[in-house]
């Protein structure tokens, strides 16, 4: 991400300020929804509490996520405005390694923003972006938001879906359809975090490079070895570990 305002690298909040830059630039370009800036604020608060680093439970979730994506028959990465602005190249890298499709799926859906996100992803090197405009002709049952509209060749027939900054409704609806959901969400208490099969409680900006590295590493392992990672994975336990860290970080001692 560019540092247009020359924020000094020594600034204690440098990485966080650079993320803000990426999002506000994305907003000005029509990629990020205004509400996406507010969502980032909520994320920042959790990130601050987590110490702005990838914690051990998140690393375990990343390993399980890499395993699940590599074992999937039809994995799809679902992209919203914030993810497109912050991690477009990483989305494409991960899609290449894991054989995932990329689908645009917006909560605040407008065709104009969908197309801008598609163009951005294509400029970063992806051959096809699913779910744009009329391509999102299938419907996720029992979901009322605009996120219900999905591509019949993409999310609709996926067995594994990776989601970022999500609303709990769609995660629940996708799971009801028999899909496995991997969520990246800084808030371990959110419905998405609680409902997903694998929850990576981390900033998407840190989690994605780690997920790419792990997926690349696991790719050369045999299927049985990858399966054993998933066999021992317990998402409820991971979330509990995360909450324990939060409580420990914030015991106020005089
Ligand atoms: O682009 P659209 O139209 O699909 O809209 C996207 C937003 C983000 C506006 C929409 O999905 C939304 O309103 O999300 P929520 O319900 O506010 O949820 C955002 C969740 O993501 C919250 O739990 C935040 O803590 C978390 N979050 C925010 N920034 C990050 C994050 N998690 C990981 N990395 C972040 N950078």
């Amino acid at each position: 991400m560019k540092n247009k305002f020359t924020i000094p690298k020594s600034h204690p909040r440098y990485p966080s300020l650079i993320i803000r830059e990426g999002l506000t630039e994305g907003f000005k370009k029509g990629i990020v929804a205004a509400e996406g800036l507010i969502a980032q604020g909520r994320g920042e608060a959790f990130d601050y509490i987590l110490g702005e680093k990838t914690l051990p439970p998140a690393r375990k979730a990343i390993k399980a996520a890499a395993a699940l994506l590599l074992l999937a028959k039809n994995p799809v990465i679902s992209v919203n405005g914030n993810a497109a602005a912050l991690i477009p190249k990483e989305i494409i890298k991960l899609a290449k390694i894991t054989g995932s499709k990329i689908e645009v799926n917006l909560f605040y859906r407008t065709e104009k923003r969908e197309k801008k996100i598609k163009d951005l992803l294509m400029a970063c090197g992806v051959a096809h972006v699913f779910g744009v405009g009329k391509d999102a002709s299938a419907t996720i049952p029992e979901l009322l938001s605009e996120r219900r509209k999905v591509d019949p060749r993409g999310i609709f027939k996926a067995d594994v879906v990776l989601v970022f900054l999500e609303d709990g409704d769609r995660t629940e609806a996708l799971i009801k359809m028999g899909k496995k959901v991997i969520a990246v969400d800084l808030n371990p208490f959110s419905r998405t975090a609680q409902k997903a099969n694998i929850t990576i409680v981390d900033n998407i900006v840190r989690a994605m490079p780690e997920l790419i590295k792990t997926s690349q590493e696991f790719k050369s392992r045999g299927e049985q070895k990858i399966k054993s990672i998933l066999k021992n994975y317990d998402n409820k336990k991971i979330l509990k570990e995360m909450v324990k860290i939060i409580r420990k970080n914030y015991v106020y001692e005089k």
Side-chain angles (χ1 to χ4, degrees):
M1 262 168 276
K2 278 186 202 138
N3 177 2
K4 208 177 81 187
F5 296 102
T6 57
I7 299 161
K9 282 206 167 149
S10 57
H11 193 291
R13 309 223 39 78
Y14 181 80
S16 174
L17 295 175
I18 290 298
I19 295 172
R20 283 189 184 178
E21 276 319 295
L23 282 172
T24 47
E25 279 302 304
F27 173 67
K28 286 177 205 156
K29 287 180 188 154
I31 284 164
V32 175
E35 294 81 355
L37 302 177
I38 299 168
Q40 170 66 17
R42 180 151 33 139
E44 276 184 14
F46 277 100
D47 211 3
Y48 194 86
I49 292 170
L50 297 173
E52 293 170 329
K53 54 184 183 233
T54 305
L55 293 164
R59 287 191 194 281
K60 288 185 209 162
I62 286 170
K63 283 189 178 143
L68 189 60
L69 284 170
L70 289 168
L71 291 170
K73 300 237 170 326
N74 242 320
V76 174
I77 304 175
S78 179
V79 182
N80 63 13
N82 289 46
L86 293 179
I87 46 165
K89 289 187 182 135
E90 288 80 2
I91 288 168
I92 292 159
K93 256 191 212 161
L94 184 69
K96 276 189 187 149
I97 296 168
T98 58
S100 302
K101 289 173 184 158
I102 298 174
E103 177 159 343
V104 177
N105 183 276
L106 305 179
F107 188 80
Y108 300 101
R109 191 178 213 120
T110 67
E111 204 161 326
K112 199 169 163 195
R113 200 152 64 88
E114 279 178 338
K115 282 191 179 137
K116 284 198 175 176
I117 293 171
K118 177 184 171 178
D119 291 347
L120 169 74
L121 292 168
M122 292 190 86
C124 291
V126 70
H128 188 78
V129 176
F130 290 82
V132 176
K134 289 193 176 62
D135 286 351
S137 60
T139 304
I140 300 176
E142 295 176 43
L143 188 64
L144 299 176
S145 75
E146 284 295 297
R147 279 199 166 138
R148 71 184 184 280
K149 296 175 188 165
V150 289
D151 197 314
R153 302 159 301 163
I155 289 173
F156 193 76
K157 70 165 194 182
D159 54 349
V160 174
V161 186
L162 170 63
V163 302
F164 311 103
L165 287 85
E166 182 72 7
D167 62 302
D169 286 356
R170 187 171 68 134
T171 299
E172 250 184 306
L174 289 172
I175 289 172
K176 271 192 192 163
M177 286 175 85
K179 302 175 193 307
K180 297 251 185 267
V181 176
I182 303 164
V184 189
D185 190 334
L186 276 161
N187 176 5
F189 306 106
S190 76
R191 257 181 328 130
T192 304
Q194 296 289 331
K195 295 284 174 195
N197 301 95
I198 296 173
T199 310
I200 302 168
V201 182
D202 197 8
N203 199 313
I204 55 171
V205 165
R206 289 189 304 268
M208 276 300 268
E210 203 59 37
L211 186 52
I212 290 166
K213 207 175 91 197
T214 310
S215 303
Q216 186 74 67
E217 213 180 289
F218 284 5
K219 220 179 163 176
S220 55
R221 292 191 187 177
E223 202 176 304
Q224 284 315 314
K225 272 195 178 165
I226 303 178
K227 276 186 178 160
S228 71
I229 293 163
L230 280 178
K231 220 172 128 194
N232 300 319
Y233 184 79
D234 178 350
N235 204 46
K236 286 277 171 270
K237 197 170 147 228
I238 293 292
L239 289 170
K240 270 190 196 155
E241 284 177 23
M242 219 65 216
V243 174
K244 224 170 163 183
I245 292 173
I246 291 177
R247 290 176 74 167
K248 200 168 139 241
N249 280 358
Y250 280 83
V251 173
Y252 182 69
E253 286 171 23
K254 283 193 181 173

